[in-house]
Amino acid sequence: MSEEKSGKTDGSQVSLGHLATDISFVTRVLRAQLLEQTGDFFEKHGVASGQVALLNLIALNPGVSQKELAEAVVLKKSALTKAINELERNGLIERRKSGGDQRYNALHLSEQGLVRVAAMRTDMLGLQDTILGVLSEAERAQLFDMIWRVIRSR
């Protein structure tokens, strides 16, 4: 696909002009394609898109606080609280009081959450291979390096 044209499913071409290098536009198109490709995954595992990241981050960081989790996923505390409440209602996570500070809720996966994350992980890897299949391993590493460099510069 050329930088200035985007193929539509019906074979017509639409000129993108300067939008071909506009990060907001390009990431919106990518996000739409990702949502289309990942719908079956979310349905199979009974989770919403944002919950996948939360469950995996809690799995990787047992005892993480809601504040730390909100910072990691760039969510407002109120939005994260709503998502955490739903995960807790669904039996996937547990809030535990931590040490001497009774205000601190340490987040942990429940047994059901551990099973769910393990089941998702295999499918997540397959989905990544499908989505990024046009890139070599070196290109994938380079892509993520560049994306994280942009993110960390803010």
Side-chain angles (χ1 to χ4, degrees):
M1 177 169 60
S2 80
E3 203 172 81
E4 293 190 7
K5 297 250 183 204
S6 172
K8 289 181 128 182
T9 55
D10 65 3
S12 67
Q13 298 288 310
V14 174
S15 175
L16 298 179
H18 68 280
L19 292 175
T21 57
D22 180 274
I23 191 69
S24 296
F25 178 77
V26 172
T27 55
R28 191 202 64 74
V29 172
L30 179 59
R31 180 74 178 146
Q33 289 181 356
L34 290 173
L35 288 172
E36 188 177 300
Q37 292 180 1
T38 56
D40 290 341
F41 172 89
F42 299 133
E43 187 175 325
K44 174 182 177 181
H45 293 286
V47 293
S49 63
Q51 293 175 335
V52 174
L54 296 176
L55 289 169
N56 278 276
L57 285 167
I58 294 168
L60 292 165
N61 302 278
V64 67
S65 72
Q66 285 184 223
K67 181 182 180 207
E68 293 165 325
L69 196 56
E71 290 170 0
V73 295
V74 193
L75 274 179
K76 291 181 180 178
K77 189 177 175 186
S78 59
L80 179 70
T81 298
K82 182 179 176 184
I84 293 298
N85 288 342
E86 185 175 344
L87 290 171
E88 188 175 38
R89 265 192 313 276
N90 292 335
L92 299 174
I93 66 163
E94 301 168 350
R95 287 182 174 118
R96 300 179 192 160
K97 296 296 179 192
S98 179
D101 188 351
Q102 291 300 305
R103 297 170 298 166
Y104 181 91
N105 284 313
L107 302 174
H108 296 268
L109 292 180
S110 64
E111 287 300 318
Q112 183 182 347
L114 288 166
V115 170
R116 181 81 54 95
V117 168
M120 285 192 304
R121 187 67 187 133
T122 300
D123 289 343
M124 286 172 68
L125 292 171
L127 195 53
Q128 289 294 305
D129 284 340
T130 299
I131 293 167
L132 299 173
V134 298
L135 302 176
S136 69
E137 289 298 321
E139 290 170 325
R140 290 179 191 191
Q142 186 178 20
L143 172 67
F144 284 109
D145 178 60
M146 288 186 288
I147 291 170
W148 281 110
R149 201 170 351 146
V150 170
I151 292 167
R152 289 183 181 120
S153 74
R154 301 289 147 224

